[in-house]
Amino acid sequence: SGRDSDRDGKGTSIMKAVIEFENVDVETGEVMRSQATALASMTEQVMKLTYVEDVSGDGHKTRCTMIFSNNQLRVTRSGELNSDFVYEHGLTHHTKYATGYGSIPVTLQTKHFLHTAEGIDYEAAVLAEEFSLRLALQYTMEMGNESPMERKMKVHVHNLAE
């Protein structure tokens, strides 16, 4: 099985997971796909995924945390890039995107948020040995003085098959 340890002492199972991303620029139709391997854990009615990514491709690592609940996705990054983005149906989230060149104000407006899960019990904070979570959302992002960008994002998280 893909479990490093069944329990971490807090009554939460920790498992290896695969995250598949698909981001679409609605205006241009450009599609970007990526994948990451993460550690998944359940606690207090949320699923938390942690992984490290090389955002700019030059070896500088950024630590990412994704927190899923039934109606919200929160993505925080710390390292080379620092951000805290919240996606929730109908929510307008004001935040900052901190880069090595300074801080940029960001506004995220989530229009659609569709979440389905199998093998994930948020109430009991339990992950089944085989689990799957799918998230589809559409949002508008404004960064600094740039014109708003329409985006679609799909996220598929599942257990790492041995």
Side-chain angles (χ1 to χ4, degrees), residues 8-25:
D8 67 359
K10 297 189 203 73
T12 305
S13 50
I14 296 178
M15 296 177 71
K16 287 181 184 158
V18 176
I19 314 171
E20 297 167 25
F21 300 98
E22 181 182 289
N23 288 289
V24 179
D25 183 325

Side-chain angles (χ1 to χ4, degrees), residues 89-150:
H89 185 82
L91 179 77
T92 300
H93 177 67
H94 300 281
T95 185
K96 287 192 173 2
Y97 192 53
T99 70
Y101 306 103
S103 195
I104 305 164
V106 175
T107 301
L108 293 174
Q109 191 171 17
T110 307
K111 297 172 177 179
H112 299 288
F113 187 100
L114 183 64
H115 168 277
T116 56
E118 292 170 31
I120 299 169
D121 186 337
Y122 285 109
E123 291 298 311
V126 171
L127 278 174
E129 204 139 307
E130 289 189 16
F131 65 90
S132 173
L133 179 151
R134 289 183 186 273
L135 185 63
L137 47 95
Q138 186 166 351
Y139 64 97
T140 303
M141 176 187 242
E142 286 182 61
M143 292 184 74
N145 301 324
E146 294 178 23
S147 56
M149 298 174 282
E150 291 286 330

Side-chain angles (χ1 to χ4, degrees), residues 59-74:
H60 290 91
K61 301 291 185 218
T62 298
R63 181 183 168 86
C64 297
T65 303
M66 299 178 85
I67 297 174
F68 293 89
S69 65
N70 275 322
N71 62 349
Q72 189 185 84
L73 167 63
R74 182 174 189 175

